[in-house]
Amino acid sequence: GESVGLHLPTLSVQEGDNSIINCAYSNSASDYFIWYKQESGKGPQFIIDIRSNMDKRQGQRVTVLLNKTVKHLSLQIAATQPGDSAVYFCAEKLAGGGNKLTFGTGTQLKVEL
Amino acid sequence: NAGVTQTPKFRILKIGQSMTLQCTQDMNHNYMYWYRQDPGMGLKLIYYSVGAGITDKGEVPNGYNVSRSTTEDFPLRLELAAPSQTSVYFCASIDRDRGLGYTFGSGTRLTVV
């Protein structure tokens, strides 16, 4: 079946460096994608989203890039801080009603001081 | 606004017991969801609801039941608990007219022994 997956299960970066978290998706009909951050013991928190008619969207210190040709999504975090340490999930909106999302398995981001 | 509130936060059940996980949101959101998250995995959709009186199965509905008698409440029922239902359960909601960034509760950690 269709699925969303992540390339790297764990990413370690130095504080102040930029982080890039990648995600591959297989459902070419998906038209909406979201990145979530999940800290230990908490529920996922919305970070940024992008629609399929866009290639790039920027937020505060975060940028999401969408490459529909290769079905690839990435989250860039600028000047990574210790508070960015968490698991990051990408999610895609499924076709049909109900605004249902399919989540990837997640990438653990570790920020080293 | 309290957002999405889940109770209990933790629970240990014996095989064959039943329980109800509570979820309440005070944002007047139309859509509500139940996901489960197994260790090191992404979230999988159990059930969802697009409004009071309407519920639908997600990806992994077996062993669960839901109801949506009011806009605010979306309880998840486990009738005969099994070890395979050991997981962290997250409830989420969105406003249909305001976008797809789910608001998640803080989760219920359930262990079936």
Side-chain angles (χ1 to χ4, degrees):
Chain A
E2 303 287 359
S3 65
V4 175
L6 296 174
H7 293 306
L8 299 174
T10 303
L11 177 65
S12 295
V13 299
Q14 293 290 322
E15 181 181 6
D17 287 350
N18 296 334
S19 302
I20 299 176
I21 301 172
N22 297 303
C23 175
Y25 66 94
S26 57
N27 189 340
S28 58
S30 295
D31 61 359
Y32 184 80
F33 304 87
I34 308 175
W35 280 101
Y36 284 91
K37 172 185 180 183
Q38 186 177 26
E39 296 174 285
S40 181
K42 298 183 179 180
Q45 179 182 13
F46 174 90
I47 301 174
I48 191 168
D49 58 0
I50 188 168
R51 295 196 178 278
S52 60
N53 60 354
M54 302 172 68
D55 298 322
K56 178 180 179 179
R57 190 163 190 224
Q58 288 184 294
Q60 186 175 11
R61 282 202 306 118
V62 295
T63 300
V64 55
L65 299 177
L66 177 62
N67 186 330
K68 295 181 286 296
T69 302
V70 295
K71 299 178 187 173
H72 184 268
L73 193 69
S74 68
L75 176 70
Q76 299 179 0
I77 304 173
T80 311
Q81 302 170 358
D84 294 327
S85 293
V87 176
Y88 290 82
F89 294 95
C90 64
E92 63 176 325
K93 175 179 168 290
L94 301 178
N99 290 336
K100 303 184 293 293
L101 297 179
T102 293
F103 287 81
T105 54
T107 292
Q108 174 77 55
L109 176 65
K110 296 183 178 180
V111 181
E112 300 172 349
L113 304 178
Chain B
N1 284 350
V4 178
T5 302
Q6 291 184 237
T7 57
K9 293 189 180 302
F10 305 93
R11 183 73 185 268
I12 298 175
L13 278 182
K14 293 184 178 179
I15 295 172
Q17 288 186 320
S18 60
M19 76 164 293
T20 299
L21 283 67
Q22 302 290 345
C23 176
T24 299
Q25 53 91 10
D26 62 357
M27 299 170 285
N28 201 34
H29 284 175
N30 321 90
Y31 293 7
M32 296 186 74
Y33 308 82
W34 274 106
Y35 283 87
R36 60 176 286 173
Q37 184 178 32
D38 297 330
M41 302 293 288
L43 288 80
K44 293 189 181 299
L45 181 64
I46 305 171
Y47 270 96
Y48 69 102
S49 168
V50 299
I54 305 170
T55 62
D56 258 310
K57 295 179 180 179
E59 182 182 359
V60 290
N62 291 343
Y64 307 94
N65 278 300
V66 293
S67 59
R68 185 93 183 272
S69 56
T70 66
T71 299
E72 295 79 18
D73 301 309
F74 190 41
L76 177 71
R77 179 81 177 166
L78 282 71
E79 291 295 348
L80 292 171
S84 61
Q85 294 178 304
T86 294
S87 190
V88 180
Y89 292 83
F90 289 101
C91 180
S93 72
I94 59 169
D95 184 312
R96 177 191 60 198
D97 300 322
R98 294 185 63 185
L100 296 173
Y102 288 6
T103 298
F104 280 90
S106 57
T108 295
R109 183 175 296 275
L110 176 67
T111 302
V112 182
V113 296

